[in-house]
Amino acid sequence: MKKILSIALGVVMIASMSSCKKDYTCTCTTTTTGVGNTTSSYTITDTKDSAKAKCDTGDVSAFGISSTNCEIK
């Protein structure tokens, strides 16, 4: 019983120490008045919350002429 408990504890420790980083795709759509929409994407390898925060830094608006909206897909 002690052996099984020790092995289970070891597995739990290894799992808790591993990173939850994954690949997330950030897709940005830029809308420009009179021109239309353009879309670009790039990959962020990080935790979900951190990847979302990094992706959201691409959200901008320029004098009401164009705006960019980025989302994690």
Side-chain angles (χ1 to χ4, degrees):
M1 182 70 177
K2 282 186 177 183
K3 221 178 212 184
I4 293 172
L5 185 60
S6 294
I7 291 171
L9 183 61
V11 169
V12 169
M13 286 176 53
I14 290 171
S16 68
M17 292 171 39
S18 66
S19 173
C20 293
K21 291 184 179 182
K22 295 181 181 178
D23 289 340
Y24 294 94
T25 301
C26 180
T27 303
C28 298
T29 303
T30 301
T31 304
T32 305
T33 304
V35 177
N37 297 338
T38 57
T39 303
S40 62
S41 299
Y42 59 95
T43 302
I44 300 171
T45 303
D46 213 330
T47 61
K48 186 172 184 176
D49 290 340
S50 184
K52 183 175 177 356
K54 288 177 183 177
C55 184
D56 287 344
T57 61
D59 291 345
V60 292
S61 181
F63 307 109
I65 297 171
S66 70
S67 64
T68 301
N69 184 27
C70 298
E71 295 181 357
I72 290 288
K73 299 284 182 173

